[in-house]
């Protein structure tokens, strides 16, 4: 490995932009991380978080070797052991458990701390399939909305974001794109400069994204479907729909026309808090400006009615025929275009018992406390559930169980890692070989090792190889090299968009674009092969077949709807334990409307206790007008450093959303009181 030079790389974080990176190396160390100007979408610009990535890679607190817990669970006291001992301890415990309680007593728990395909959903899947462990439903992020979108559009297929520079109206709907999808903002700003495009932001919180809008529309949480239906009402009433598109490419527009009569602007205004005149103005803009593009965010989707929200809003571009126009349409997610061969990569055939139970990751607390037969061992990797999962107090109580054998594989001593019996050090993505597929743009990228492995750390792929050996699994699949696994994943004739993308060419080119064709004219993967404004499949599954506004579940008698969203300088809880990023973000705030503050005698800068039936948090208040009365918002998944009580997920519900087993982080209610 060369000690000096500039090396092409890819950002591994769970972020739609998936930037191309250049890593500058001196004497074997990364000294600078910058954007790769050659990358066609991200064009050399990256966020502040990753510009400071070297601070994280070489943070003195990074885990260097395997350890065994010597203190109480959660205390964070460990002693060094060898890899041999770690693997022997884990596998002998698991063999005993499989003997006594069966393999389903073991639960893997992971998400996308590193988006690399082999490390996030490759060798691990092979291993747990072979074991017959409980399966994890990975529903914490966007599954409700993905199911909702699929009912309307047939799969995760939207428009090419590169086309959105042609848009004249760009609606950021429930997405804090300035923090979470910065290159979509760059494209929108280019469209504003070149075409005079207008940027509209619909959000419950006027945050960084709201501040850059030409028009910011504040809305009450969980009511967005009603607003979308109100827009449809006006589009039909004022004949602003594209009849020929509706006729050719949709089913159910006549039913929809009748159905939306009930969503008149007065009714919708009552529900959403958006003034009647603004509903008219927005609908008329949407009905007359072309091309118009909607970026559908994750926010309104993290509600009880989140699936139906995405299902509803994704009907809008069909009404105006925008899918046919370059720069028009919508993006909820684009992961469909780069789907690889999971049958070959994950080997589901190794799972003999097809009835193996499935546990929803949003219900981790329940799974550890009440599920029967009980979970006796938890293996956590690429995820930090003690901070990111809802009903945080239940999760911690579960992790404290004496009879639960916990293994955590991470780069840092996260809040979750403090509960581990065995703690394993993970490599950073820059030490591994892997491939990356964006769920927003259409490029696949490759990572090859740029730096030597840090201390004794190992990649997920390597750890599962060792665990397989320790368990005595003899399938050759556990010996496949990274290059072989990549070739297997890319061999996917069922996905024509992957044509021409292979390991060797990726190595040569660093990034390759999927061979994507526009969605229309064309046929979708819905049962009718058209956009389903009316969905028989939804009806069969017990949902209203037409887009419908369903109010949030009443979550206790608390005065405020609580919106704990991500922040600018962390990536979920990643970076929440890196001093550089903490200092950039300073401290979490609770944003409160000045009317509410006045009524409860709270002043800007006051320390408050935010509480409900699930838990409490201590936060500093920021009084102003960036949330509506009755709403409080905060940003960031902060670690509970030295008992600061900043763990927002102690307050969030583990109710399951209407679709896809999704999370309802933003549907909780809280009370707020000033600290004495
Ligand atoms: N800087 C940064 N970037 C990130 C992340 C991060 O933590 N930090 N996380 C990454 C991940 S995993 C994901 S999934 C994405 C998520 O990124 P986004 O799609 O932006 O989703 P959120 O940030 O969850 O919420 C977006 C917005 O929805 C608003 N919101 C909440 N409820 C409602 C509602 O009912 N209606 C409306 N209209 N708005 C509502 C919130 O105020 C917030 O501004 O970002 C990724 N990128
Ligand atoms: N209140 C609230 N809660 C939320 C959300 C919200 O908006 N509000 N957002 C939700 C969403 S959308 C998501 S996606 C989840 C995300 O939740 P998580 O998936 O837990 O994401 P992170 O907090 O980034 O934690 C990822 C962990 O993986 C580790 N890691 C990174 N690379 C590797 C690797 O290669 N191997 C191993 N073994 N470990 C690695 C990192 O060090 C980090 O500790 O959080 C959810 N929780
Ligand atoms: S976190 Fe997102 S914006 Fe930042 S470098 Fe990574 S992909 Fe790019
Ligand atoms: Mo996410």
């Amino acid at each position: 490995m060369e000690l000096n030079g500039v090396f092409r790389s890819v950002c591994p974080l769970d972020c739609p932009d998936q930037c191309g990176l250049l890593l500058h190396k001196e004497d074997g160390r990364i000294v600078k991380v910058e954007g790769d100007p050659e990358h066609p979408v991200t064009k050399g610009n990256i966020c502040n978080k990753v510009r400071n990535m070297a601070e994280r890679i070489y943070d003195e607190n990074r885990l260097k070797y395997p350890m065994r817990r010597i203190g109480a669970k959660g205390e964070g006291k460990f002693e060094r052991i060898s890899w041999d001992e770690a693997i022997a301890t884990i596998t002998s415990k698991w063999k005993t458990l499989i003997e006594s309680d069966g393999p389903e007593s073991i639960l893997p728990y992971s998400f996308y701390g590193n988006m690399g395909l082999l490390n996030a959903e490759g060798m691990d899947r092979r291993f747990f399939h072979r074991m017959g462990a409980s399966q994890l439903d990975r529903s914490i992020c966007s599954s409700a909305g993905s199911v909702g979108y699929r009912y309307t559009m047939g799969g995760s297929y939207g428009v090419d974001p590169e086309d959105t520079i042609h848009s004249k109206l760009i609606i950021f709907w429930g997405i804090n794109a300035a923090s979470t999808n910065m290159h979509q903002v760059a494209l929108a700003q280019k469209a504003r400069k070149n075409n005079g495009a207008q940027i509209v932001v619909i959000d419950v919180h006027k945050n960084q994204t709201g501040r850059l809008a030409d028009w910011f529309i504040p809305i009450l949480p969980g009511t967005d479907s009603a607003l979308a239906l109100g827009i449809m009402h006006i589009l039909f009433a004022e004949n602003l729909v594209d009849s020929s598109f509706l006729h050719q490419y949709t089913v159910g527009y006549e039913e929809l026309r009748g159905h939306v009569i009930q969503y008149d602007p007065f009714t919708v205004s009552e529900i959403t808090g958006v003034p009647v005149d603004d509903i008219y103005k927005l609908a008329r803009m949407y009905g007359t400006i072309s091309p118009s593009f909607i970026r559908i965010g994750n926010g309104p989707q993290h509600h009880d009615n989140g699936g139906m929200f995405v299902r509803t809003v994704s009907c809008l571009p069909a009404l105006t025929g925008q899918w046919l126009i370059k720069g028009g349409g919508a993006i909820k997610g684009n992961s469909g275009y780069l789907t690889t061969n999971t049958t070959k990569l994950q080997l589901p055939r190794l799972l003999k018992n097809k009835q193996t139970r499935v546990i929803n990751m949003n219900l981790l607390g329940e799974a550890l406390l009440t599920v029967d037969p009980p979970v006796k061992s938890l293996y956590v990797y690429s995820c930090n559930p003690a901070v990111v999962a809802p009903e945080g107090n239940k999760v911690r109580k579960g992790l404290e169980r004496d009879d639960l054998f916990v293994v955590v594989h991470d780069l840092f001593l996260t809040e979750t890692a403090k509960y581990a019996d065995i703690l394993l050090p993970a490599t950073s993505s820059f030490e591994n070989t892997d491939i990356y597929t964006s769920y927003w743009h259409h490029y696949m990228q490759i990572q090859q090792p740029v730096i030597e492995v840090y201390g004794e750390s190992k990649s997920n792929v390597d750890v599962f190889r060792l665990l397989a050996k320790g368990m005595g699994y003899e399938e050759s699949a556990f010996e496949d090299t990274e290059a072989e696994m990549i070739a297997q994943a890319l061999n996917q004739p069922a996905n024509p968009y992957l044509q021409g993308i292979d390991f060797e060419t990726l190595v040569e080119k660093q990034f390759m674009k999927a061979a994507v064709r526009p969605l229309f004219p064309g046929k979708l993967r819905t049962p009718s092969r058209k956009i389903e404004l009316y969905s028989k499949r939804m009806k069969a599954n017990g949902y209203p077949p037409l887009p419908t506004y369903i109010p949030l579940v009443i979550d206790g008698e608390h005065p405020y709807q609580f919106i704990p969203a991500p922040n600018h300088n962390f990536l979920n809880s990643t970076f929440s334990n890196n001093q550089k990023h903490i200092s950039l973000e300073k401290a979490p705030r609770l944003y409160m409307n000045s009317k509410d503050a006045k009524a409860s005698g709270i002043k800007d800068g006051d320390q408050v206790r935010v509480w409900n039936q699930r838990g409490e948090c201590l936060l500093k208040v920021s009084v102003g007008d960036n949330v509506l009365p009755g709403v409080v918002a905060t940003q960031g998944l902060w670690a509970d450093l030295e008992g600061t009580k900043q763990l927002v997920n102690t307050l969030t519900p583990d109710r399951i959303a209407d679709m896809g087993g999704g999370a309802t982080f933003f549907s909780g209610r809280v009370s707020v009181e000033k600290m004495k």
Side-chain angles (χ1 to χ4, degrees):
M1 193 177 283
E2 291 169 58
L3 289 178
N4 297 291
V6 180
F7 301 85
R8 293 172 107 183
S9 166
V10 45
C11 176
L13 298 177
D14 186 353
C15 170
D17 300 54
Q18 200 158 92
C19 295
L21 303 179
L22 293 179
L23 304 181
H24 295 250
K25 249 178 98 176
E26 280 173 20
D27 298 330
R29 278 171 76 95
I30 297 172
V31 291
K32 187 169 151 193
V33 179
E34 61 177 4
D36 180 353
E38 305 279 316
H39 190 288
V41 182
T42 61
K43 296 197 161 127
N45 298 314
I46 59 170
C47 66
N48 218 12
K49 308 184 279 296
V50 171
R51 221 172 302 125
N52 290 300
M53 189 63 132
E55 307 257 353
R56 177 171 159 87
I57 304 284
Y58 301 112
D59 191 305
E60 58 175 14
N61 291 323
R62 216 181 128 179
L63 302 176
K64 296 178 188 66
Y65 35 74
M67 291 190 281
R68 173 195 12 234
R69 182 170 56 81
I70 47 172
K73 292 202 174 197
E75 199 182 337
K77 285 204 183 126
F78 294 88
E79 68 179 10
R80 182 175 186 171
I81 54 173
S82 68
W83 270 102
D84 284 347
E85 189 181 346
I87 297 291
T89 310
I90 299 166
T91 52
S92 78
K93 180 78 190 174
W94 281 351
K95 284 177 194 163
T96 313
L97 272 180
I98 290 169
E99 196 69 28
S100 60
D101 295 74
E104 286 174 287
S105 62
I106 300 162
L107 177 67
Y109 197 95
S110 77
F111 209 62
Y112 292 88
N114 167 1
M115 290 284 294
L117 213 59
L118 311 184
N119 283 287
E121 48 180 48
M123 198 57 104
D124 58 323
R125 301 297 205 274
R126 292 181 181 187
F127 178 81
F128 287 114
H129 284 146
R130 170 66 179 78
M131 174 183 270
S134 282
Q135 304 190 83
L136 187 71
D137 184 7
R138 291 179 172 80
S139 50
I140 206 165
C141 177
S142 60
S143 59
S146 298
V147 172
Y149 191 82
R150 196 186 312 142
Y151 280 126
T152 308
M153 294 295 295
S156 283
Y157 302 95
V159 297
D160 184 341
E162 291 174 83
D163 285 345
T164 62
I165 45 164
H166 303 294
S167 309
K168 293 211 169 112
L169 173 63
I170 293 157
I171 303 178
F172 288 105
W173 200 319
I175 179 167
N176 181 11
S179 298
T180 65
N181 190 191
M182 62 177 271
H183 295 89
Q184 184 63 74
V185 170
L187 290 162
Q189 275 163 336
K190 202 170 259 176
R192 174 151 71 183
K193 193 158 163 244
N194 296 348
N195 318 328
Q198 300 187 60
I199 300 176
V200 175
V201 173
I202 305 171
D203 204 297
V204 302
H205 180 199
K206 189 169 185 181
N207 50 33
Q208 295 88 323
T209 309
R211 290 198 287 274
L212 64 80
D214 296 302
W215 184 21
F216 175 73
I217 305 177
I219 187 167
L220 290 169
T223 67
D224 300 77
S225 307
L227 180 59
L229 288 157
I231 296 174
M232 294 182 203
H233 172 101
I234 297 166
L235 293 176
F236 277 116
E238 303 193 353
N239 200 22
L240 295 171
V241 296
D242 181 338
S243 300
S244 96
F245 186 90
L246 285 172
H247 186 71
Q248 206 172 343
Y249 296 113
T250 73
V251 292
Y253 64 95
E254 287 302 347
E255 288 93 332
L256 183 65
R257 182 197 300 273
H259 172 75
V260 298
I261 289 174
Q262 61 188 304
Y263 297 102
D264 64 86
F266 292 91
T267 306
V268 167
S269 177
E270 281 286 305
I271 298 171
T272 59
V274 180
V276 171
D277 288 348
D278 286 351
I279 301 172
Y280 274 110
K281 180 176 155 192
L282 178 62
R284 287 171 185 157
M285 280 169 79
Y286 192 69
T288 55
I289 302 177
S290 175
S292 67
F293 167 70
I294 307 178
R295 181 68 174 98
I296 307 173
N298 235 27
Q301 181 253 192
H302 272 159
H303 280 290
D304 296 306
N305 55 13
M308 194 53 116
F309 157 72
V310 176
R311 186 282 189 272
T312 302
V313 80
S314 62
C315 292
L316 282 172
L319 264 63
T320 51
Q322 282 295 318
W323 290 113
L324 272 178
I325 296 167
K326 205 179 179 72
I331 299 178
K332 145 61 168 108
N334 272 334
S335 57
Y337 295 110
L338 288 164
T339 328
T340 58
N341 192 332
T342 47
T343 311
K344 289 208 172 116
L345 180 62
Q346 305 181 352
L347 300 181
R349 68 175 164 77
L350 293 177
L351 179 62
K352 295 287 181 301
N353 172 12
K354 300 298 175 207
Q355 308 305 313
T356 299
R357 72 175 170 185
V358 180
I359 289 179
N360 184 327
M361 72 187 295
N362 294 316
L363 294 171
L364 179 61
E366 291 283 310
L368 297 180
L369 294 174
T370 51
V371 161
D372 192 42
V375 172
K376 295 265 180 88
S377 177
L378 184 71
Y379 183 91
V380 182
Y381 57 109
S382 309
C383 192
N384 185 13
V387 176
V388 308
E391 279 276 16
N393 284 331
K394 269 202 223 167
V395 172
R396 288 188 176 218
K397 208 158 159 229
L399 289 171
E400 275 165 14
R401 250 177 58 198
D402 267 339
D403 62 335
L404 180 74
F405 177 68
V406 179
V407 181
V408 176
H409 183 209
D410 203 299
L411 289 81
F412 287 91
L413 182 65
T414 60
E415 300 289 296
T416 310
K418 291 178 186 162
Y419 293 85
D421 293 285
I422 302 287
L423 182 49
L424 305 174
T427 47
S428 75
S429 68
F430 302 149
E431 295 152 50
N432 304 337
T433 301
D434 214 327
I435 52 169
Y436 290 79
T437 61
S438 166
Y439 49 89
W440 171 65
H441 61 62
H442 292 333
Y443 293 81
M444 183 176 291
Q445 298 177 80
I446 189 160
Q447 177 69 54
Q448 293 177 278
V450 172
I451 46 174
E452 297 290 349
V453 163
Y454 184 83
E456 292 182 8
S457 61
K458 290 188 189 296
S459 70
N460 296 7
V461 170
D462 277 337
V463 174
F464 285 106
R465 284 196 185 107
L466 288 178
L467 288 170
K469 203 177 225 172
M471 293 300 293
Y473 300 160
E474 286 172 351
E475 288 80 358
S476 63
F478 296 111
E479 275 151 38
D480 284 348
T481 63
E482 277 82 347
E484 284 164 341
M485 291 176 77
I486 291 171
Q488 292 153 7
L490 293 181
N491 179 2
Q492 175 59 321
N495 179 4
Y497 304 126
L498 285 188
Q499 216 162 25
I501 303 186
D502 59 38
F503 179 68
E504 290 72 25
T505 327
L506 273 171
V507 168
E508 183 194 324
K509 298 201 158 151
Q510 179 61 24
F511 45 77
M512 294 179 75
K513 190 171 186 178
V516 169
R517 286 183 306 274
L519 283 178
F520 297 98
K523 294 204 185 323
L524 299 184
R525 290 160 200 244
T526 54
S528 63
R529 314 298 305 276
K530 296 184 174 188
I531 298 175
E532 303 217 333
L533 303 175
Y534 182 101
S535 163
K536 284 188 192 157
R537 189 181 269 178
M538 288 184 79
K539 192 166 183 205
N541 293 345
Y543 297 105
L546 287 160
T548 302
Y549 165 64
I550 298 161
L552 297 183
V553 173
I554 295 166
D555 185 71
E557 293 296 313
H558 299 280
Y560 302 103
Q561 192 78 35
F562 180 57
I563 311 292
N567 66 7
H568 193 74
N569 293 295
F570 302 166
L571 197 296
N572 301 318
S573 76
T574 298
F575 301 121
S576 69
N577 43 13
N578 300 118
Q579 215 42 57
K580 175 79 194 178
H581 296 77
I582 294 175
S583 67
L584 288 169
E585 196 62 42
K586 298 191 184 79
R589 290 270 174 169
L590 186 77
Y591 298 94
M592 186 179 226
N593 187 279
S594 41
K595 284 191 192 132
D596 287 333
K598 197 166 171 212
S600 23
I602 293 172
K603 287 192 215 57
D604 193 66
D606 278 353
Q607 186 82 11
V608 289
R609 174 172 172 261
V610 189
W611 62 276
N612 62 17
Q613 62 276 27
R614 292 177 282 266
E616 65 171 354
C617 247
L618 304 182
L619 295 167
K620 215 170 231 177
V621 168
S622 191
V623 175
D625 60 359
N626 57 16
V627 291
L628 291 173
V631 180
V632 288
T634 178
Q635 292 187 322
L637 296 172
W638 294 74
D640 203 7
L641 297 173
E642 284 123 36
T644 43
K645 292 219 169 186
Q646 295 175 346
L647 206 70
V648 291
N649 275 325
T650 57
L651 297 165
T652 53
D654 63 358
R655 279 196 308 278
I656 296 306
D658 55 350
M659 293 177 199
T664 59
F665 290 111
F666 303 154
S667 285
R669 298 188 71 82
V670 294
S671 291
V672 177
E673 63 190 23
K674 191 172 162 169
M675 301 283 288
K676 299 281 172 319

